[in-house]
Amino acid sequence: MVETTQQSVEQRQPEPLGDWRCYFSFCVDHKVIGIQYLVTTFFFYLLGGALAMVIRAELMTPGAELDRSLYNGVFTIHATIMIFLWIIPTLAGFGNFLVPLMIGARDMAFPRLNALSFWMIPPGGLLLLSSFFVQSGAAGAGWTSYPPLSTQQVQVGDLLVTNFGQVIWIASVVFLGTSSILAALNFIVTIVAMRTEGMELFRMPLFCWATLTASCITLLGTPVLAGAVILLAFDLLLGTVFFNPTGGGDPVVYQHMFWFYSHPAVYIMVLPAMGIISEVLPVFSRKPIFGYKAIAISSMGIAVLGFLVWAHHMFTSGTPDWLRMFFMVTSFLIAVPTGIKVFSWLGTIWGGKLELSSAMLFAMGFVSMFVVGGLSGIMLASVPVDIHVHDTYFVVAHLHYVLFGGSVFAIYAGLYYWFPKMTGRLLNETWGKIHFALTFIGFNLCFLPMHQLGLQGMPRRVAEYAEQFQSLNVLVSIGGFLLGISTLPFLFNAIYSWLWGPKAPANPWRALTLEWTTASPPPVENFEYLPVVTAGPYEYGTVGSSPEGDTPTAISQPKS
């Protein structure tokens, strides 16, 4: 066979993707779309983070400084942005850029649908933000939008008006959900039908397995959420009573429909993040990943079990005892496939030649933070504990350890790892490590004390609280501000390095997955010739004979 040598790859010049204006156009190149996703969603992340700063500034003192309706709107829009405009679409951005490269394809299966999926994000986000400017104010019922709270009219002066802020929230969620469904469909078809020769299912990179699984969850779960919020809109605008008990409706039905999507949605956010971690750890440990098939199959196990645990969010909603026992057991069971992943990652780095790069630090930070969130999740799966801490800050702490610790740390790991592939430039490692240190300290200072606040009984979603909670809230707010400041080194590093950073070789990390066998940044059609895969993606120290010890696991040959 003819191997693709490092020299030949670096000598290959990338074809121009066009000037900067292509990133503001309806471009159908999956790499451009991937970067469009990443940059746009980071902008929304900054907005969501700014709203979090407002929340933490309000909670520095026990009394309410902000108007209560405005406070409710701020934390509702903060949560909605972070979930629907940051974590989910950012991970779709990684998928867009990486999946075709990782499986040896020239593009996604449906390029125009792919572009359409992205271009639904900016108007969906702007629509959501516009709700601050309507007469009724932004939606204030939280990201769950439970009725009857979300279907009530709003007092404005002497008038009761329709809650158009809530209507806008519903329209935005439907818009963004449609984008997710289109993207998921594209990922599934691309991965199933467009893998290059030799790319068997169990030779796929684990990020592709994770994206495939998350896409299946999206296709099955998101339409149920869309149905729930559309019925909610009917109750708000048309006077129907689907969730109004005075007219024969049942608000608990909404909760079932909402959580049927929203618990699996945790895995839509976490599984691709886990896929990123599975790519980073073996590269910077210089070892094959431990338990490749177990990690891949456990993703499917999480997807199946994820649809059997939704009612554990409803232990205090009049759920019958026998049903609470069922969902408690299934919630405990989901720790099994998750634990398999964690032990596999620990087995991967155990005894490895660790290189503590910025990407590796964020990956290890992900594992430790996700374990903390997972342990508190096991506690919340237990009916007695859940009833005791329901709607307290213990739940807020758990949610952020799982979703921020379990997603954002991985997103940063992925950005540091694939930045050279995306831009052809290397990020500065010193700034990267400063960024990690500020993020890790700020995150734990912000969210760890929330466990104690919750156990002591401080309710969430309120602007006012008892004075006994103030000292811990001050500590939490300082951590929150530090977490906000921690993004500044990354922003400086990313912008400076993109413009003036040292040029990156095609494969600066000596990784073995296919995206590293082509130039940085890749040419328009990704590969000069479609690669033929000859081994698994993580055979570090077991294949190749280069002085560095490892070579890519594909050969490149003319093939139309």
Side-chain angles (χ1 to χ4, degrees), residues 36-322:
Q36 286 175 325
Y37 264 104
L38 293 174
V39 173
T40 303
T41 55
F42 200 86
F43 167 75
F44 283 113
Y45 173 54
L46 295 178
L47 283 178
L51 293 178
M53 298 299 100
V54 173
I55 295 170
R56 288 319 315 172
E58 167 61 53
L59 295 175
M60 289 280 281
T61 58
E65 306 296 332
L66 288 176
D67 175 79
R68 291 176 182 174
S69 297
L70 178 60
Y71 178 83
N72 291 340
V74 167
F75 82 72
T76 297
I77 302 302
H78 156 74
T80 307
I81 285 177
M82 289 304 197
I83 292 170
F84 294 109
L85 287 161
W86 163 235
I87 300 177
I88 292 177
T90 293
L91 292 168
F94 277 106
N96 265 287
F97 190 92
L98 293 170
V99 165
L101 287 164
M102 284 182 155
I103 64 173
R106 296 205 182 279
D107 206 327
M108 296 285 283
F110 308 114
R112 293 185 185 281
L113 193 67
N114 201 23
L116 177 63
S117 301
F118 165 72
W119 280 108
M120 296 183 79
I121 301 288
L126 294 175
L127 181 64
L128 181 70
L129 294 173
S130 71
S131 64
F132 279 112
F133 303 102
V134 297
Q135 185 185 27
S136 61
W143 81 284
T144 54
S145 288
Y146 281 174
L149 186 61
S150 57
T151 52
Q152 293 176 341
Q153 290 184 310
V154 178
Q155 185 82 38
V156 179
D158 296 330
L159 299 175
L160 276 178
V161 300
T162 301
N163 191 348
F164 282 108
Q166 190 67 53
V167 175
I168 291 173
W169 181 90
I170 292 169
S172 177
V173 167
V174 171
F175 217 67
L176 297 170
T178 304
S179 166
S180 293
I181 291 172
L182 298 180
L185 180 67
N186 218 345
F187 283 131
I188 292 172
V189 176
T190 301
I191 292 172
V192 170
M194 296 179 65
R195 300 192 308 277
T196 191
E197 184 177 342
M199 180 62 78
E200 301 164 2
L201 281 177
F202 283 113
R203 278 182 178 170
M204 278 202 312
L206 288 165
F207 177 77
C208 297
W209 270 101
T211 301
L212 178 63
T213 309
S215 299
C216 293
I217 298 173
T218 302
L219 273 189
L220 292 173
T222 309
V224 179
L225 174 69
V229 297
I230 287 172
L231 293 179
L232 196 66
F234 286 168
D235 278 8
L236 265 167
L237 295 174
L238 304 179
T240 57
V241 290
F242 291 109
F243 307 124
N244 185 350
T246 62
D250 188 347
V252 176
V253 173
Y254 175 86
Q255 295 186 27
H256 280 288
M257 295 177 74
F258 178 84
W259 287 113
F260 183 81
Y261 162 80
S262 295
H263 189 85
V266 172
Y267 307 113
I268 294 172
M269 292 180 262
V270 170
L271 279 173
M274 290 175 164
I276 291 172
I277 300 307
S278 297
E279 300 301 324
V280 172
L281 290 180
V283 170
F284 294 103
S285 301
R286 307 314 301 172
K287 281 181 61 185
I289 195 154
F290 183 84
Y292 167 85
K293 287 187 177 179
I295 295 177
I297 294 171
S298 66
S299 295
M300 292 297 180
I302 289 173
V304 173
L305 286 171
F307 280 107
L308 298 175
V309 300
W310 79 88
H312 84 224
H313 297 273
M314 301 166 55
F315 285 161
T316 60
S317 298
T319 306
D321 288 342
W322 67 269

Side-chain angles (χ1 to χ4, degrees), residues 357-402:
S357 64
S358 302
M360 184 64 165
L361 289 173
F362 273 105
M364 295 171 76
F366 165 94
V367 176
S368 57
M369 297 301 96
F370 186 76
V371 167
V372 174
L375 291 175
S376 61
I378 293 173
M379 296 169 68
L380 287 170
S382 169
V383 174
V385 176
D386 183 86
I387 290 174
H388 178 67
V389 299
H390 186 77
D391 260 348
T392 70
Y393 262 81
F394 190 90
V395 180
V396 181
H398 161 70
L399 183 148
H400 282 87
Y401 267 91
V402 171

Side-chain angles (χ1 to χ4, degrees), residues 429-452:
E429 277 294 311
T430 301
W431 281 109
K433 289 170 183 172
I434 292 172
H435 175 214
F436 169 76
L438 291 174
T439 305
F440 191 83
I441 295 170
F443 175 83
N444 284 288
L445 198 58
C446 181
F447 297 113
L448 194 60
M450 287 186 184
H451 292 96
Q452 188 174 349

Side-chain angles (χ1 to χ4, degrees), residues 508-548:
W509 316 123
R510 295 182 293 128
L512 299 183
T513 42
L514 284 186
E515 76 273 22
W516 299 106
T517 64
T518 189
S520 297
V524 171
E525 293 194 337
N526 295 342
F527 304 96
E528 185 176 354
Y529 304 110
L530 287 179
V532 178
V533 178
T534 58
Y538 308 110
E539 308 295 336
Y540 297 101
T542 62
V543 296
S545 56
S546 69
E548 293 82 6

Side-chain angles (χ1 to χ4, degrees), residues 400-422:
H400 282 87
Y401 267 91
V402 171
L403 289 190
F404 195 108
S407 294
V408 179
F409 274 77
I411 288 169
Y412 279 133
L415 288 173
Y416 281 100
Y417 181 55
W418 283 297
F419 189 89
K421 182 57 59 182
M422 294 174 179

